[in-house]
Amino acid sequence: MNIGIPKERRPFEYRVGLSPAGVEMLCRAGHSCFVEHGAGLGAGFSDLDYEKAGARTVYLMDEVFGRSDLLVKVQRPIQEELEYLRPDSTIAGYLLLASARQDKIDVLLNKKITSIAFEQIQLADGSLPVLRPFSEVCGLMTGQIAARLLQSNLGGKGILLSGVPGVPPAEVAVIGAGVVGTNSVRSFLGLGAHVTVLDNNIEALQKLYDRFPSVVTMNSTERNIERVCSYADVVIGAVLIPGERSPIVVPRSIVQKMKPRSVIIDVSIDMGGCFETSRPTNHENPTFVEEGVTHYCVPNIPGVIARTATHAYVNAVMPYLEELTTSGIESAITNNNAIAAAVNTHNGEIRHLKRLTGGGGLHGLE
């Protein structure tokens, strides 16, 4: 199979779809890999690194797209890339098509592109093995992001997360006890904050409490969310429904009751956001102030720690890439339920994809 690894073209996206180690595994299995010139530089991989692994370097975007039976990316394609997609080919990556514009979905359908959203690969126990490493990274980064945004010179409340003797630590609320939420808790506890976690899954809260006994756990009713947000210095949104828009769990009315210069970090923004006041930002201008509260709503948080994120991504995705390339796309979809659950478009039809249809806080992404 011909496999293409293009350069990521979205702003502030430094990750790459495959590392040289991943390319080497595929080439040894008899496949041909075409890597676009400079695709790995943001993650610290040179063209020579890929060539030593067995890949061929190509210098034009249309060449890597045109040669590929399977295109492996990180982020979903931009409009220019969609135009170069070869009809009846396959694209795989962290596609997040539930929050994409409809005209992009239409291109995939009209060209009969098979799109495989790695973030939706789901095992029988409900876990998301390929999404997990990025979720871990996002959760772990929330602590360092919040620490900076609380600084006075960045418009924050001038609070040290850990506090000092005689001065209490910051109050942090994490909405969602999944992988992002758990790693966010780990990050904030490591920095010395006082953490409250809210979720509607009591079993998830129990697991979190067993691991971190100092954490306060609460059922995520609207009343509890309002109560916690009223005193929190930092609120983390970590809500996910695979293949669907993240629900709005914090309406504007609750944000209005938060303390001035508090911080919201909406990790769910890549799937539409879970705060009504959220809208997508980027790493150059990551924040805005709404209702007196600083909002951080960057969809590709792991994009700026590209080397760690790429290695973690490739570690998780290689078993599925090997099956897709060895068995063939159709066979892998038919015989592996985990992969089948990740298929968003196939043969001109939509599969396993619930589109954003409106509602408060809806912001379609490019």
Side-chain angles (χ1 to χ4, degrees), residues 30-288:
H31 306 292
S32 297
C33 292
F34 301 92
V35 180
E36 186 177 358
H37 169 62
L41 290 180
F45 307 126
S46 68
D47 291 347
L48 183 59
D49 291 331
Y50 283 104
E51 290 167 4
K52 287 180 177 179
R56 286 184 56 185
T57 301
V58 296
Y59 289 84
L60 297 174
M61 180 173 66
D62 58 345
E63 185 176 4
V64 70
F65 277 74
R67 286 178 176 269
S68 302
D69 304 311
L70 170 63
L71 198 74
V72 181
K73 284 178 52 63
V74 179
Q75 294 264 22
R76 66 168 167 263
I78 61 175
Q79 192 64 45
E80 182 184 10
E81 293 173 314
L82 287 171
E83 295 171 3
Y84 284 113
L85 279 173
R86 199 179 75 196
D88 299 310
S89 61
T90 299
I91 183 169
Y94 192 55
L95 301 181
L96 299 171
L97 293 181
S99 56
R101 295 200 317 254
Q102 184 60 43
D103 60 342
K104 293 190 173 185
I105 307 295
D106 292 339
V107 173
L108 296 173
L109 295 175
N110 293 336
K111 288 191 172 186
K112 294 187 176 181
I113 303 295
T114 297
S115 59
I116 300 175
F118 283 149
E119 73 275 10
Q120 286 181 226
I121 290 179
Q122 190 167 19
L123 301 181
D125 63 0
S127 62
L128 304 166
V130 180
L131 178 61
R132 185 180 184 89
F134 284 166
S135 297
E136 290 172 339
V137 168
C138 286
L140 291 170
M141 288 186 70
T142 56
Q144 66 189 60
I145 293 167
R148 283 185 51 78
L149 294 180
L150 285 173
Q151 292 177 189
S152 300
N153 62 315
L154 294 178
K157 300 169 75 171
I159 292 177
L160 183 66
L161 282 172
S162 63
V164 294
V167 180
E171 291 287 348
V172 176
V174 179
I175 303 175
V179 178
V180 172
T182 298
N183 283 277
S184 185
V185 169
R186 174 184 164 196
S187 178
F188 281 107
L189 288 179
L191 291 168
H194 183 256
V195 182
T196 300
V197 185
L198 302 98
D199 201 294
N200 60 7
N201 185 332
I202 299 301
E203 184 178 347
L205 292 176
Q206 181 67 57
K207 290 179 180 178
L208 200 63
Y209 181 77
D210 290 342
R211 183 175 176 185
F212 306 110
S214 63
V215 168
V216 176
T217 59
M218 300 176 69
N219 192 17
S220 58
T221 63
E222 184 173 351
R223 184 182 183 89
N224 282 342
I225 291 173
E226 180 177 1
R227 175 187 170 193
V228 172
C229 286
S230 69
Y231 65 76
D233 301 303
V234 180
V235 181
I236 309 298
V239 180
L240 172 69
I241 301 175
E244 299 184 30
R245 188 210 192 283
S246 296
I248 299 293
V249 297
V250 183
R252 181 178 293 272
S253 60
I254 291 180
V255 176
Q256 290 172 339
K257 296 176 183 178
M258 291 179 65
K259 294 179 181 179
R261 296 190 295 166
S262 297
V263 173
I264 284 173
I265 300 178
D266 193 349
V267 182
S268 303
I269 193 65
D270 56 0
M271 294 299 284
C274 63
F275 294 81
E276 185 178 357
T277 48
S278 292
R279 62 177 184 267
T281 59
N282 57 52
H283 285 288
E284 183 176 18
N285 298 294
T287 64
F288 62 90

